[in-house]
Amino acid sequence: MSDFSWVPLEELRLRSSVKWRAYSPDVIPVWVAEMDVRLATPITERLRRAVELGDTGYAWTAEVGEALGVFAATRWNWIVDSARVMPVADVLTGVGQALIALTEPGDAVVINSPVYPPFFTTVQHVARRELRDVPLVWDGQRYVLDREAMERAFADPSTRAYLMCSPHNPTGRVFDREELRFIASLADRHGVLVVADEIHAPTTYPDRAFVPYLTVSGDAPAVSVISASKAWNLAGLKCAQVVAGSADVRDKLRARVPLEVQHGAGHLGALAAIVAYTEGTSWLDELLEQLQGQSMRLRALMAKQVPQLTFAPPEASFLAWLDCRALELPGDPAAFFLAHGQVALNSGPTFGPGGAGFARLNFATSPEVLDEVVARMASAVASQSAIA
Ligand SMILES: Cc1ncc(COP(=O)(O)O)c(C=O)c1O
């Protein structure tokens, strides 16, 4: 048994991260992807020791790749060559820099909306590449790739890269081996680079298998960008890892990614990532059990109190992609629940064209907070129906 625990609301209010400061104290924040957990004890101890020693200089990242390798091999049977790992500050930096280094101006990058909103800005405004959205489709049970549309998009000569998100934010899909093989063969046929954002990979639930993209793509041009930041709640410490799928990609990244970016990881982030990957698995296993429990609790609460709200159970992580369309709200559901329920969600339309009528809810919080969130949302809906 690990020392996992949720943090109570009074204590969460003492936090000063963006989740807890962006809204007034009468609002319950269930938006940005931070979790309301206490850190795993080995991580707290490592960070405490570093702070006590004044060990807060520039990062020594040589061991980060090895630590990732230990975790990846035991968890996913993925043999990571640490010489192909480039630590950077965060996953979006890694994604943006990989696209800049490995594609050319004018190239198009495929994404699958609804998707993590910074994908749009990173492709267009950071990498300055063209965006080609191939929306996921709802098959009645889950979101899946639109294979014909993917074929068409990859066949277009201007398509030079695919920015994949697996596990997928916000839908919670973890692409299975067969889906990844489809992508790999398409990429191979058309010479398209795959940049796989796998930041949520360690949060894949135990009844689902996460397949690292680089275990399927062989020596083809591909990159995985991964981090301990979501699974162990370390986003503010800044350490992600770009893993090159081939020696050629590794050499290009080393030569083309600016040195200040290659030295951009935070020292505390590197220390925390090493401990997370090598000593954090029992805590992680407990977290995953808790998250799956919270996902089911949220479904049960909604079915009882606001049955108009539904979501497909995610296969990883802690984000519910709430279908609010049955409520027939006049505008953005997140704005409605903020104004009438004092609950802060992520706005669905920011995730792309398929996001209208949706909102994203972060359920990585205690059962007590989750109960209060749903009670507030239910009373907001009840008050709206009373007016209508
Ligand atoms: C899919 C995805 N990619 C990237 C990020 C951002 O990661 P980072 O803070 O490491 O840039 C997030 C954050 O929630 C995410 O969900």
Side-chain angles (χ1 to χ4, degrees), residues 32-34 89-95 115-116 118-119 164-170 197-200 225-227 229-230 235-236 238-240 317-319 360:
V32 66
E34 298 175 20
D90 49 41
V91 165
L92 284 176
T93 299
V95 166
V115 76
Y116 181 57
F119 273 25
M164 182 178 91
C165 191
S166 180
H168 188 270
N169 171 3
D197 177 337
E198 300 183 321
I199 191 171
H200 291 278
V225 193
I226 193 163
S227 172
S229 63
K230 292 296 140 194
K238 297 287 170 194
C239 180
S317 213
F318 41 82
L319 306 168
R360 194 191 75 175

Side-chain angles (χ1 to χ4, degrees), residues 15-79:
R15 287 188 172 184
S16 50
S17 61
V18 64
K19 183 177 185 186
W20 293 94
R21 284 292 168 88
Y23 293 93
S24 58
D26 57 332
V27 170
I28 301 189
V30 281
W31 61 295
V32 66
E34 298 175 20
M35 297 190 289
D36 298 346
V37 293
R38 265 182 236 297
L39 294 184
T41 303
I43 297 179
T44 307
E45 283 172 357
R46 189 68 191 88
L47 293 175
R48 184 178 289 136
R49 185 167 158 68
V51 171
E52 279 167 3
L53 287 171
D55 182 15
T56 49
Y58 294 112
W60 171 249
T61 56
E63 285 142 39
V64 173
E66 280 162 34
L68 170 65
V70 170
F71 181 78
T74 40
R75 201 88 176 170
W76 304 313
N77 225 357
W78 175 25
I79 308 305

